[in-house]
Amino acid sequence: MIDLRSDTVTKPDETMREAAGSAAVGDDVYGEDPTVNELEARAAEAVGTEAALYVPSGTMGNQIAARVHTERGQEAIADRKSHVVKYELGGFAQHADLQLRMVDAERGVPSPEQIAGEYVAEDLHRPGTGLLCLENTHNARGGLAIEPERIAAAADAAHERDVPVHLDGARLFNAATALDVPAAEITDPVDSVMFCLSKGLGAPVGSVLAGNEAFIERARRTRKLLGGGMRQAGIIAAPGLRALENVSELETDHEHARLLADGLARIDGFDVQEPETNIVLVDVTETGLETDAVLERLRERDVAATQFGPTTLRFCTNRDVSRDGIEAVLDAATAAFGTA
Ligand SMILES: *Cc1c(COP(=O)(O)O)cnc(C)c1O
C-alpha cells in the first residue's frame, strides 16, 4: 500500500530506532531525563523561544496552550476550518472552558478587521476575548504556508487588545521550508507555538509546545494535570531529536506534492488545488462518484488517501513515499479513472 493518508503514518527509521535504544534517560517528571531536556532546549532554539515542553501529541500541546493563556468562560477567536475547531473534540470547551468565535478567514488567518469585529471586552455581562488561535501550515485549507506578515498582522491586532496568540504549527517547518524563512521569523509575533515531531519530520511520537519561561512553567503543570507527565521519556524523545534534523528534507515532500498535483490534475473528474507544501486536496465531484467510491477504487490499486470533506480527498506526501511511489500513485489513478 502506498500510504498518502497523512504524514503521521511514517515509521521510525533505523537511526531513530538506534537513538531510542541508546538514549540516556531519567525521570522526566522530576526534570531528570537528559534526552528530553536536550530535545526541549534544541526545540526552543529552533523556534526562537526561551523554553519548550515535550508533549505526547499536538492536540495536547494546543489544549495546554489554550488552558494556560485563558480564564474560564472567555472567548477564543479561530478560523472555522482550523484544527482546534474541527478535529480536537471540542477540547477548547472541555479542557479550557472556552467559547469559540469562529470566523471564515482568508488563508485561515483572521484579518485585523475580523479580529476587531469579533473581539469582546470584558465587562459585567461579557466574558472577554482570551485567545487568538492561528494555524500554519493550514491543514484543512490545503496545507497553506502562511506568510509571516499575515501572522504578524493578526498577532498585532490581538496584542493591541491584550489578547494572547497561540500558533498551531503542527507543520510549522513545512511552512518555513516553503516560504524559505527561518521558523523563528514566523513564530516571532506569537506567544506560544506547538509543532509536531511525529508528522513530516518522521518521529514515532511527540510534539513540542514552546513559549517564554513563565508560560512553559505553567504549561508543565497543566501537562501533568492532563496526565501527560511522562517518566523515562528519553526513549521516545531521542527519535524526536533525530527528527529535528529532518527539517532540511521537507522540501522533497513538497516536490513530490507538486509532481502528484500535476499528475492528478490530468485525471478525469479530478479538480486539484495547487499545493503549497505537502498536502494535495482534490475535489472529485466531476467523477460523478462519492468520495468513498473514489477512495475504494484507489485502494483496490494499493493507494491510500483520505476523505477530507463531502467532495474532497487529501493526499499527504511523506518521507516514506519516494518519487517512484508518487509515480505509481499516478499510474494507479490513471488506470482507475482515465485521463481527461
Ligand atoms: C495533526 C495536527 C494537530 C494534532 O496533532 P496530534 O499529534 O495528531 O494530536 C494539530 N493541528 C494540526 C494543524 C494538525 O495537522
Side-chain angles (χ1 to χ4, degrees):
M1 185 68 67
I2 303 174
D3 198 345
L4 296 177
R5 285 173 302 165
S6 179
D7 45 10
T8 56
V9 300
T10 58
K11 308 261 169 59
D13 62 23
E14 214 38 60
T15 66
M16 287 186 183
R17 290 169 191 270
E18 277 165 19
S22 61
V25 296
D27 190 329
D28 180 51
V29 173
Y30 293 152
E32 292 173 2
D33 190 298
T35 308
V36 172
N37 292 342
E38 187 185 344
L39 173 63
E40 291 177 347
R42 293 259 307 275
E45 212 173 289
V47 295
T49 59
E50 280 176 13
L53 181 71
Y54 183 49
V55 289
S57 69
T59 300
M60 191 188 281
N62 285 337
Q63 298 302 318
I64 291 172
R67 184 158 175 128
V68 171
H69 283 307
T70 62
E71 287 167 26
R72 289 187 73 173
Q74 285 187 320
E75 299 190 354
I77 300 174
D79 174 51
R80 189 175 298 284
K81 291 195 171 177
S82 58
H83 196 278
V84 296
V85 170
K86 291 186 72 171
Y87 302 122
E88 300 191 14
L89 290 159
F92 275 22
Q94 303 218 50
H95 299 300
D97 299 304
L98 295 176
Q99 309 192 76
L100 275 175
R101 280 257 180 177
M102 289 179 277
V103 300
D104 202 358
E106 192 186 339
R107 293 181 67 72
V109 180
S111 66
E113 295 73 26
Q114 283 177 313
I115 291 163
E118 298 299 330
Y119 169 74
V120 167
E122 182 186 323
D123 66 15
L124 180 61
H125 304 280
R126 314 207 306 167
T129 302
L131 184 68
L132 170 67
C133 188
L134 305 176
E135 185 172 318
N136 198 8
T137 67
H138 201 293
N139 180 16
R141 292 186 185 271
L144 305 183
I146 308 302
E147 311 74 6
E149 300 75 23
R150 201 179 277 267
I151 300 280
D156 288 351
H159 288 153
E160 277 167 27
R161 297 168 175 83
D162 286 331
V163 173
V165 183
H166 173 66
L167 178 64
D168 173 353
R171 298 187 180 84
L172 174 70
F173 291 101
N174 292 87
T177 299
L179 297 166
D180 198 20
V181 296
E185 190 176 323
I186 299 174
T187 59
D188 184 56
V190 303
D191 302 288
S192 58
V193 57
M194 181 283 289
F195 70 88
C196 292
L197 298 160
S198 59
K199 291 193 168 166
L201 301 179
V205 206
S207 294
V208 170
L209 179 61
N212 68 24
E213 297 275 8
F215 171 82
I216 292 300
E217 200 179 305
R218 294 185 61 204
R220 197 175 292 282
R221 297 186 75 222
T222 303
R223 182 185 68 175
K224 191 76 178 78
L225 173 71
L226 297 180
M230 298 180 285
R231 301 298 179 175
Q232 283 71 37
I235 294 285
I236 50 175
L241 260 171
R242 263 291 301 123
L244 284 177
E245 291 168 36
N246 292 339
V247 169
S248 59
E249 293 172 21
L250 291 173
E251 178 51 31
T252 306
D253 290 351
H254 298 181
E255 255 172 58
H256 290 169
R258 291 191 293 270
L259 179 70
L260 180 68
D262 286 348
L264 291 178
R266 289 194 278 274
I267 303 296
D268 201 13
F270 280 24
D271 183 12
V272 179
Q273 180 178 326
E274 178 117 21
E276 296 184 10
T277 56
N278 68 331
I279 288 172
V280 180
L281 298 188
V282 182
D283 188 298
V284 298
T285 309
E286 295 299 318
T287 60
L289 297 168
E290 299 290 325
T291 48
D292 282 358
V294 176
L295 287 172
E296 185 49 38
R297 280 209 208 167
L298 290 171
R299 229 171 219 285
E300 283 164 7
R301 290 174 170 82
D302 283 330
V303 172
T306 194
Q307 160 127 24
F308 216 57
T311 61
T312 310
L313 307 184
R314 185 185 78 170
F315 296 78
C316 190
T317 58
N318 61 68
R319 46 190 293 110
D320 283 4
V321 178
S322 65
R323 190 186 171 96
D324 287 351
I326 300 296
E327 272 159 10
V329 170
L330 294 175
D331 290 344
T334 305
F337 302 101
T339 50

